[in-house]
Amino acid sequence: MPEKCYLIGSFVGTPSATGGPAHAAELRFAFLHGSIGLLGEVAFVIKTREALFCMTQEKVLIVEDEENERSGLAELVRAWGYETETASDGVEGLEAVERWNPAIVITDLRMPRMDGMQLLEHIAAQPQQVAVILLTAQGSIDSAVSAMKIGAFDFIEKPVNATRLRTILQNASRLRGTERELEASRRKLRDIGVLGSLIGPSKRMQEVFRLIEMVAPSTASVLITGESGTGKELVARTIHSLSSRKTKPFVAINCAAIPETLIESEIFGHEKGAFTGAFERRIGCFELAENGTLLLDEIGEMPIATQAKLLRVLEDRKLRRLGSKSETAVDVLVLTATNKVPEEAVASGHLRNDLFYRLNVFNIQLPPLREHKEDLPDLVQSLLADMNEKHNRKVAGVSEQVSGLFQSYAWPGNVRELRNTLERAAIVCDGAMIEMKHLAPGFGQVIPRAPVQEANAVRLGVGTTVAEAERLLILKTLEATNNNKTRAAEMLGISLKTLHNKLKEYGAQGAGEAEAAEAAS
């Protein structure tokens, strides 16, 4: 043992023979922690070394309850050019993360007060990106694999192999460098009006971008509002892509497109035999989006009973599938969107008041295209690039005449209408520029409404209630369309589902009035 100590001491005292102080630290760490024997030491020392790894200046926090391990790791990592700080358990480690903001955390798995897994969970929930490396004892591999699923960068078994640890640290540093480069690129794109799939250098859209960047690192619920076609789902996808959940699923569901009888099963899932036709268990959207993001589009069209169950899931973070006797824990960021004014939906009874306040922690309102037409040139070029790739075209842009028409047009369908217009034009375009002849016939022309015929007029007397006026208008419109409910809903500017609900309500009222009249006679 004295010879071995003298051998190490001599090599530590002559760094030039061993590749520098980093090599000496590696040797000392390996000896003290028993990861190499005497012959291995000699071979390790005399091996030709690569040039000293460049000074990274990355901050590395070492969390280890055993003092010798902690100090040895700190010396080793510091010799490789990293800044280091230590903590004796998870509680101290979490305080150091919040105070010192390290780029990398090396933590033992088993510690008093707060273990490595709990520390990892706390770090993963924070907005800043930190690479966590777990130190595991033999037999703890299952725990390490579970930690990787939570978000650990890597793990290494004890006794620590210095070469492997250094490689892991280098990989973590490279990843951090790549993330910094991506962030710098994103900022440059942001400055010219690009954020994810969103385009818009105008002041209105820049304000939207600012809100997205503010809320994306958090876990706050976001309510996205705006007219149909303004890009509410794109905003939701951008929030997801900028969040810590970006590698997890993004699931979008349109509440207005699902029949009322199926929406609960679609969202929460069901067990086999829960109802007629439930031949097997079905996983709902919440579970499909586990650890990721769920977008509930057109939230105002969700049935009130389902809204109550949704509120419960948001509060408890647990759901019960239809027909199940047990609850399932879920970890999902819920984003919602609507093309209605939320306050009006609450006032009309289409949206629960308590659910609205639970969802509206953070509101992002998208402006209609007519209010930020200065973004049209950038939107046109971006959409044409998509059309060229999709349809194998080579359209370079639009003519001045078309551009002028676009600027004067009101775009009631917003960006969705612009996209459809350009797609149609790109397909029929036989040159490099889209001309007026490539647009759909009649595009941009104001079509006058036909005068209302006396037979289709709705006469309202003074004192008629709003509810009665609405009922008369709906029934008259149905009469004018020969009971074509789809056409009637389009004319009234409401969803088909809302129309059905209104007719059901009127039917119940009519039945009640008939019963009362029969009783009176």
PDB file of all heavy atoms in Angstrom, residues 170-182:
ATOM      1  N   GLN A 170     -19.081  15.545 -21.372  1.00  0.00           N
ATOM      2  CA  GLN A 170     -18.832  16.176 -22.670  1.00  0.00           C
ATOM      3  C   GLN A 170     -20.098  16.163 -23.530  1.00  0.00           C
ATOM      4  O   GLN A 170     -20.438  17.153 -24.180  1.00  0.00           O
ATOM      5  CB  GLN A 170     -17.689  15.454 -23.395  1.00  0.00           C
ATOM      6  CG  GLN A 170     -16.321  15.702 -22.779  1.00  0.00           C
ATOM      7  CD  GLN A 170     -15.238  14.867 -23.460  1.00  0.00           C
ATOM      8  OE1 GLN A 170     -15.533  14.004 -24.276  1.00  0.00           O
ATOM      9  NE2 GLN A 170     -13.983  15.115 -23.101  1.00  0.00           N
ATOM     10  N   ASN A 171     -20.812  15.025 -23.518  1.00  0.00           N
ATOM     11  CA  ASN A 171     -22.053  14.931 -24.293  1.00  0.00           C
ATOM     12  C   ASN A 171     -23.098  15.920 -23.777  1.00  0.00           C
ATOM     13  O   ASN A 171     -23.808  16.555 -24.567  1.00  0.00           O
ATOM     14  CB  ASN A 171     -22.607  13.506 -24.235  1.00  0.00           C
ATOM     15  CG  ASN A 171     -21.751  12.516 -24.996  1.00  0.00           C
ATOM     16  OD1 ASN A 171     -20.984  12.900 -25.878  1.00  0.00           O
ATOM     17  ND2 ASN A 171     -21.869  11.240 -24.664  1.00  0.00           N
ATOM     18  N   ALA A 172     -23.189  16.031 -22.455  1.00  0.00           N
ATOM     19  CA  ALA A 172     -24.145  16.974 -21.867  1.00  0.00           C
ATOM     20  C   ALA A 172     -23.775  18.410 -22.237  1.00  0.00           C
ATOM     21  O   ALA A 172     -24.645  19.229 -22.538  1.00  0.00           O
ATOM     22  CB  ALA A 172     -24.186  16.808 -20.353  1.00  0.00           C
ATOM     23  N   SER A 173     -22.475  18.709 -22.230  1.00  0.00           N
ATOM     24  CA  SER A 173     -22.018  20.053 -22.597  1.00  0.00           C
ATOM     25  C   SER A 173     -22.313  20.349 -24.065  1.00  0.00           C
ATOM     26  O   SER A 173     -22.732  21.457 -24.415  1.00  0.00           O
ATOM     27  CB  SER A 173     -20.514  20.191 -22.342  1.00  0.00           C
ATOM     28  OG  SER A 173     -20.229  20.097 -20.964  1.00  0.00           O
ATOM     29  N   ARG A 174     -22.091  19.348 -24.923  1.00  0.00           N
ATOM     30  CA  ARG A 174     -22.393  19.542 -26.352  1.00  0.00           C
ATOM     31  C   ARG A 174     -23.888  19.783 -26.552  1.00  0.00           C
ATOM     32  O   ARG A 174     -24.282  20.619 -27.372  1.00  0.00           O
ATOM     33  CB  ARG A 174     -21.947  18.326 -27.153  1.00  0.00           C
ATOM     34  CG  ARG A 174     -20.424  18.160 -27.251  1.00  0.00           C
ATOM     35  CD  ARG A 174     -20.063  17.095 -28.264  1.00  0.00           C
ATOM     36  NE  ARG A 174     -18.640  16.800 -28.218  1.00  0.00           N
ATOM     37  CZ  ARG A 174     -18.128  15.743 -27.593  1.00  0.00           C
ATOM     38  NH1 ARG A 174     -18.924  14.876 -27.000  1.00  0.00           N
ATOM     39  NH2 ARG A 174     -16.818  15.537 -27.581  1.00  0.00           N
ATOM     40  N   LEU A 175     -24.708  19.028 -25.821  1.00  0.00           N
ATOM     41  CA  LEU A 175     -26.156  19.221 -25.936  1.00  0.00           C
ATOM     42  C   LEU A 175     -26.546  20.622 -25.515  1.00  0.00           C
ATOM     43  O   LEU A 175     -27.352  21.281 -26.171  1.00  0.00           O
ATOM     44  CB  LEU A 175     -26.885  18.190 -25.076  1.00  0.00           C
ATOM     45  CG  LEU A 175     -28.419  18.292 -25.080  1.00  0.00           C
ATOM     46  CD1 LEU A 175     -28.971  18.031 -26.475  1.00  0.00           C
ATOM     47  CD2 LEU A 175     -29.027  17.308 -24.090  1.00  0.00           C
ATOM     48  N   ARG A 176     -25.945  21.090 -24.428  1.00  0.00           N
ATOM     49  CA  ARG A 176     -26.219  22.453 -23.977  1.00  0.00           C
ATOM     50  C   ARG A 176     -25.797  23.467 -25.028  1.00  0.00           C
ATOM     51  O   ARG A 176     -26.495  24.451 -25.291  1.00  0.00           O
ATOM     52  CB  ARG A 176     -25.473  22.735 -22.671  1.00  0.00           C
ATOM     53  CG  ARG A 176     -26.002  22.003 -21.463  1.00  0.00           C
ATOM     54  CD  ARG A 176     -27.155  22.737 -20.834  1.00  0.00           C
ATOM     55  NE  ARG A 176     -26.742  24.038 -20.337  1.00  0.00           N
ATOM     56  CZ  ARG A 176     -27.538  24.863 -19.681  1.00  0.00           C
ATOM     57  NH1 ARG A 176     -28.782  24.541 -19.461  1.00  0.00           N
ATOM     58  NH2 ARG A 176     -27.102  26.038 -19.251  1.00  0.00           N
ATOM     59  N   GLY A 177     -24.656  23.210 -25.664  1.00  0.00           N
ATOM     60  CA  GLY A 177     -24.198  24.116 -26.714  1.00  0.00           C
ATOM     61  C   GLY A 177     -25.150  24.134 -27.895  1.00  0.00           C
ATOM     62  O   GLY A 177     -25.464  25.194 -28.447  1.00  0.00           O
ATOM     63  N   THR A 178     -25.653  22.942 -28.262  1.00  0.00           N
ATOM     64  CA  THR A 178     -26.620  22.864 -29.357  1.00  0.00           C
ATOM     65  C   THR A 178     -27.902  23.612 -29.012  1.00  0.00           C
ATOM     66  O   THR A 178     -28.468  24.322 -29.842  1.00  0.00           O
ATOM     67  CB  THR A 178     -26.949  21.390 -29.664  1.00  0.00           C
ATOM     68  OG1 THR A 178     -25.746  20.710 -30.008  1.00  0.00           O
ATOM     69  CG2 THR A 178     -27.937  21.284 -30.812  1.00  0.00           C
ATOM     70  N   GLU A 179     -28.362  23.450 -27.758  1.00  0.00           N
ATOM     71  CA  GLU A 179     -29.571  24.148 -27.328  1.00  0.00           C
ATOM     72  C   GLU A 179     -29.379  25.657 -27.367  1.00  0.00           C
ATOM     73  O   GLU A 179     -30.282  26.401 -27.746  1.00  0.00           O
ATOM     74  CB  GLU A 179     -29.954  23.693 -25.915  1.00  0.00           C
ATOM     75  CG  GLU A 179     -30.489  22.265 -25.875  1.00  0.00           C
ATOM     76  CD  GLU A 179     -30.743  21.788 -24.467  1.00  0.00           C
ATOM     77  OE1 GLU A 179     -30.270  22.463 -23.518  1.00  0.00           O
ATOM     78  OE2 GLU A 179     -31.409  20.750 -24.301  1.00  0.00           O
ATOM     79  N   ARG A 180     -28.175  26.111 -26.978  1.00  0.00           N
ATOM     80  CA  ARG A 180     -27.896  27.551 -27.017  1.00  0.00           C
ATOM     81  C   ARG A 180     -27.897  28.059 -28.458  1.00  0.00           C
ATOM     82  O   ARG A 180     -28.385  29.152 -28.748  1.00  0.00           O
ATOM     83  CB  ARG A 180     -26.562  27.850 -26.343  1.00  0.00           C
ATOM     84  CG  ARG A 180     -26.618  27.834 -24.821  1.00  0.00           C
ATOM     85  CD  ARG A 180     -25.371  28.432 -24.227  1.00  0.00           C
ATOM     86  NE  ARG A 180     -24.222  27.574 -24.435  1.00  0.00           N
ATOM     87  CZ  ARG A 180     -23.797  26.673 -23.546  1.00  0.00           C
ATOM     88  NH1 ARG A 180     -24.438  26.515 -22.411  1.00  0.00           N
ATOM     89  NH2 ARG A 180     -22.745  25.922 -23.787  1.00  0.00           N
ATOM     90  N   GLU A 181     -27.319  27.245 -29.381  1.00  0.00           N
ATOM     91  CA  GLU A 181     -27.321  27.639 -30.794  1.00  0.00           C
ATOM     92  C   GLU A 181     -28.750  27.706 -31.336  1.00  0.00           C
ATOM     93  O   GLU A 181     -29.102  28.632 -32.079  1.00  0.00           O
ATOM     94  CB  GLU A 181     -26.494  26.642 -31.603  1.00  0.00           C
ATOM     95  CG  GLU A 181     -24.993  26.722 -31.344  1.00  0.00           C
ATOM     96  CD  GLU A 181     -24.236  25.618 -32.049  1.00  0.00           C
ATOM     97  OE1 GLU A 181     -24.880  24.869 -32.821  1.00  0.00           O
ATOM     98  OE2 GLU A 181     -23.022  25.497 -31.839  1.00  0.00           O
ATOM     99  N   LEU A 182     -29.575  26.710 -30.978  1.00  0.00           N
ATOM    100  CA  LEU A 182     -30.966  26.711 -31.422  1.00  0.00           C
ATOM    101  C   LEU A 182     -31.717  27.914 -30.862  1.00  0.00           C
ATOM    102  O   LEU A 182     -32.535  28.526 -31.549  1.00  0.00           O
ATOM    103  CB  LEU A 182     -31.654  25.414 -30.990  1.00  0.00           C
ATOM    104  CG  LEU A 182     -31.221  24.145 -31.733  1.00  0.00           C
ATOM    105  CD1 LEU A 182     -31.852  22.917 -31.094  1.00  0.00           C
ATOM    106  CD2 LEU A 182     -31.587  24.218 -33.201  1.00  0.00           C
TER     107      LEU A 182
END
